[in-house]
Amino acid sequence: MEQVASQIGIKGIREGLLISVPDRGSFADLMALLNVELAQKQAFLQGSQVALQVGYRKLDKDHLRQLQAVFEQNQLELWAILAEDPSAREAARDLSLATRLSGSQTDLNGNFLSQMPEPGAATAVAPQPPQGGLILKETLRSGRSIYHEGHVVIIGDVNPGAEIVASGDVIVWGRLRGLVHAGALGDETAVICALELNPTQLRIADQIAISPEEKRGRTIPEQVAIRNGQIVAEMWQK
Amino acid sequence: MSGKVITVTSGKGGVGKTTVTANIATALAMMGKKVVAIDADIGLRNLDVVMGLENRIVYDLVDVIEGRCRLRQAMIKDKRQPDLYLIPAAQTRDKMAVSPSDMILVCDELRQEMDYIIVDSPAGIERGFRNAVAPADHVLIVTNPEVSAVRDADRIIGLLEAEEKGPGRLIINRLKPDMVARGDMLSIDDVLDILAVELIGVIPEDESILVSSNRGTPVAMSGSNGSSASQAFRNVAQRIEGQTVPFVDLTPKTGLLSRLNNWFSKS
């Protein structure tokens, strides 16, 4: 058992934890292995989001549900299955689990993750931004940078020269004149809202937009989102 | 008696920190206050030139800090104002010759006998800026009505807030009212809109400033018949003293026709 347990690898990645398990042995052995390993390290790991690397192991939906349950018991959230076997990936997608990491295909150690999306396969499914948002009740002046995994709310202005990078949405209760990147880990559904929208640049996922040249007289709340592959600003009130 | 330390800073270079320092120190001295101006721009000293005291320098700030002279020996008495002094910067050293705690020590000693210690900060946000801000009770931020200067002032205000030196008070220097009226220059409101700090002075662009700086006679000295900039500097000094002084109306005088035009374009 000792020898097998050491085959479980756990490391931190940008999205949370990457847990890799051996792709040989029966599924029952794997479950037993995970149960022991997670229970031992529960205090240290709990609350994390987990991407599970299963190699060439064949897994169906029922297996995946059991894996989800095991992580849940140990207060971990399974959000991605990194599998070499196409049917296992298919099953994971059916359970709305991600099947690859967003952005770069390398982990924090610089190791290249082997699985690449097949042509035509579903594109990257971004991890759900963590529930916790960041609320700042201050004006961000030039030179300030805010990086946050999740949503960011600013009660105050965002001045030119300040920047906010968030994996979720960005709400500015004030004047937005700096740079904001929402959905920075690839979430194209992220939005940016501001009471007065006059940014130097806006980014959502991998799209970039700049304000129109002419100075706009109106100062009304607006929301920015990706519509048909383009960043557009819409009036808050139609 | 415990004097107040006021640091003049800007972030961007060339916006008029040294001119503002010399003139406010002069104006406060003319009001009967005991004032010392400190040039914290080690290696690039200017304040002595603008105040016309260059040829009297024997010891400088670094000499004081490194113990080569007593503080009193480095204080150069002004030519015209009896209670105005200058502590010049060293010309041959760099910013690392002084530490923030050195500045606090020097200023604490000066507080004993002075009403105001005005520190002229170097441009930038590095060691020199930190030295100048370390002893400050109040900070005056100088900016010009142009986008890059306002951007740097904004950065400075952020740094001051982080150091808990308060947001500081703002001086808008080199304003050209006619250009503002034409919409070619940021207006006072445009600047305040971004920086959102208390305004303590607006100095109009004035050729007499350049002339007086070259002569080493701060423009604030030119008495009540002086230029508009001269009056503006004296107003700042009075506001520092806690007096309420209305801001001089800098809008250019307009005829009836253009006023009507303005009125129509507003509505």
Side-chain angles (χ1 to χ4, degrees):
Chain A
M1 198 67 185
E2 274 305 306
Q3 214 181 358
V4 197
S6 65
Q7 290 175 14
I8 290 190
I10 302 180
K11 55 182 159 185
I13 55 171
R14 191 172 49 171
E15 290 88 345
L17 292 175
L18 178 68
I19 299 186
S20 48
V21 294
D23 49 7
R24 294 182 198 290
S26 73
F27 184 73
D29 281 350
L30 172 64
M31 290 298 285
L33 201 62
L34 272 174
N35 257 322
V36 173
E37 185 78 2
L38 295 179
Q40 268 177 8
K41 299 184 174 164
Q42 192 192 18
F44 180 63
L45 298 176
Q46 62 180 332
S48 306
Q49 296 188 80
V50 175
L52 189 67
Q53 196 168 29
V54 297
Y56 287 94
R57 185 180 284 276
K58 293 200 184 306
L59 298 169
D60 59 26
K61 273 200 235 178
D62 192 47
H63 290 140
L64 293 175
R65 282 199 196 94
Q66 289 183 47
L67 284 168
Q68 276 180 313
V70 151
F71 284 108
E72 210 169 294
Q73 278 162 24
N74 292 285
Q75 289 160 49
L76 293 161
E77 189 198 339
L78 183 66
W79 69 269
I81 294 288
L82 309 176
E84 300 293 332
D85 175 43
S87 64
R89 280 206 291 265
E90 192 69 53
R93 275 186 217 115
D94 283 348
L95 291 172
S96 56
L97 289 166
T99 53
R100 50 168 279 212
L101 303 176
S102 63
S104 104
Q105 288 297 303
T106 55
D107 63 23
L108 283 188
N109 296 328
N111 299 321
F112 200 75
L113 296 171
S114 51
Q115 79 297 333
M116 290 294 283
E118 295 160 57
T123 48
V125 180
Q128 288 298 307
Q131 296 301 307
L134 176 70
I135 300 187
L136 287 177
K137 210 170 179 177
E138 60 183 309
T139 288
L140 302 189
R141 295 185 180 275
S142 176
R144 273 294 290 282
S145 294
I146 304 293
Y147 295 90
H148 182 67
E149 278 204 50
H151 308 300
V152 173
V153 177
I154 306 292
I155 302 176
D157 295 346
V158 178
N159 280 0
E163 62 172 359
I164 300 171
V165 178
S167 63
D169 304 329
V170 176
I171 318 288
V172 178
W173 188 263
R175 290 177 284 220
L176 169 47
R177 290 184 279 218
L179 184 154
V180 170
H181 189 176
L185 297 179
D187 182 4
E188 297 196 343
T189 64
V191 296
I192 300 166
C193 307
L195 289 187
E196 185 185 322
L197 193 69
N198 204 355
T200 38
Q201 195 188 88
L202 291 183
R203 301 179 195 157
I204 297 178
D206 54 359
Q207 298 271 348
I208 300 182
I210 54 175
S211 292
E213 276 293 313
E214 77 271 17
K215 207 175 175 181
R216 294 176 307 172
R218 58 190 178 145
T219 56
I220 46 163
E222 285 177 287
Q223 171 178 300
V224 181
I226 294 187
R227 303 272 184 251
N228 301 323
Q230 274 205 314
I231 294 184
V232 291
E234 311 163 327
M235 268 185 276
W236 183 253
Q237 209 170 14
K238 294 273 159 41
Chain B
M1 188 158 87
S2 183
K4 285 203 166 59
V5 180
I6 299 177
T7 296
V8 180
T9 188
S10 71
K12 190 175 180 295
V15 298
K17 284 179 297 296
T18 302
T19 309
V20 166
T21 306
N23 279 287
I24 288 176
T26 302
L28 283 167
M30 287 167 70
M31 291 163 69
K33 300 293 165 188
K34 298 182 81 168
V35 183
V36 58
I38 303 180
D39 191 347
D41 200 351
I42 315 291
L44 287 169
R45 71 177 185 213
N46 286 146
L47 187 56
D48 51 321
V49 180
V50 174
M51 291 175 74
L53 301 172
E54 187 185 11
N55 54 5
R56 304 187 183 198
I57 295 176
V58 180
Y59 294 112
D60 58 45
L61 183 60
V62 175
D63 290 325
V64 175
I65 286 164
E66 296 183 347
R68 279 187 292 275
C69 69
R70 279 174 291 113
L71 185 54
R72 196 78 214 178
Q73 290 175 292
M75 290 169 66
I76 304 167
K77 198 169 180 305
D78 189 69
K79 286 184 276 192
R80 309 159 200 90
Q81 299 298 325
D83 280 330
L84 178 61
Y85 298 86
L86 167 72
I87 299 179
Q91 185 69 292
T92 52
R93 305 290 293 275
D94 63 26
K95 269 70 178 175
M96 302 309 280
V98 179
S99 75
S101 55
D102 291 333
M103 287 299 289
I104 293 172
L105 281 176
V106 168
C107 288
D108 280 350
E109 196 175 335
L110 290 167
R111 277 179 216 268
Q112 309 299 317
E113 46 183 320
M114 292 289 163
D115 294 311
Y116 287 103
I117 299 115
I118 317 282
V119 182
D120 184 18
S121 157
I125 54 174
E126 294 85 18
R127 179 67 171 266
F129 163 74
R130 300 199 177 277
N131 286 342
V133 165
D137 299 311
H138 301 287
V139 179
L140 300 183
I141 300 134
V142 182
T143 193
N144 292 350
E146 58 173 87
V147 174
S148 56
V150 171
R151 184 74 58 93
D152 288 358
D154 194 41
R155 179 98 167 91
I156 289 290
I157 296 166
L159 291 171
L160 292 172
E161 283 171 349
E163 301 231 332
E164 298 185 340
K165 288 289 179 185
R169 286 179 289 180
L170 186 70
I171 294 179
I172 301 177
N173 193 21
R174 308 193 67 170
L175 188 87
K176 294 183 178 175
D178 51 335
M179 282 185 74
V180 174
R182 289 201 304 270
D184 292 337
M185 185 180 257
L186 294 178
S187 71
I188 297 171
D189 285 342
D190 292 336
V191 177
L192 292 179
D193 202 36
I194 290 187
L195 298 181
V197 289
E198 186 194 338
L199 183 68
I200 195 172
V202 179
I203 318 295
E205 174 84 10
D206 190 339
E207 285 181 4
S208 63
I209 291 182
L210 182 70
V211 176
S212 66
S213 289
N214 287 342
R215 285 203 189 121
T217 315
V219 72
M221 236 171 246
S222 55
S224 55
N225 54 354
S227 61
S228 55
S230 166
Q231 184 61 48
F233 280 122
R234 285 197 300 271
N235 287 352
V236 174
Q238 286 171 359
R239 291 186 194 113
I240 288 173
E241 265 288 281
Q243 300 171 18
T244 309
V245 187
F247 283 87
V248 178
D249 184 17
L250 290 172
T251 49
K253 290 168 184 61
T254 50
L256 176 67
L257 199 64
S258 62
R259 258 186 292 160
L260 273 178
N261 261 334
N262 278 339
W263 189 74
F264 279 119
S265 60
K266 260 180 209 158
S267 57

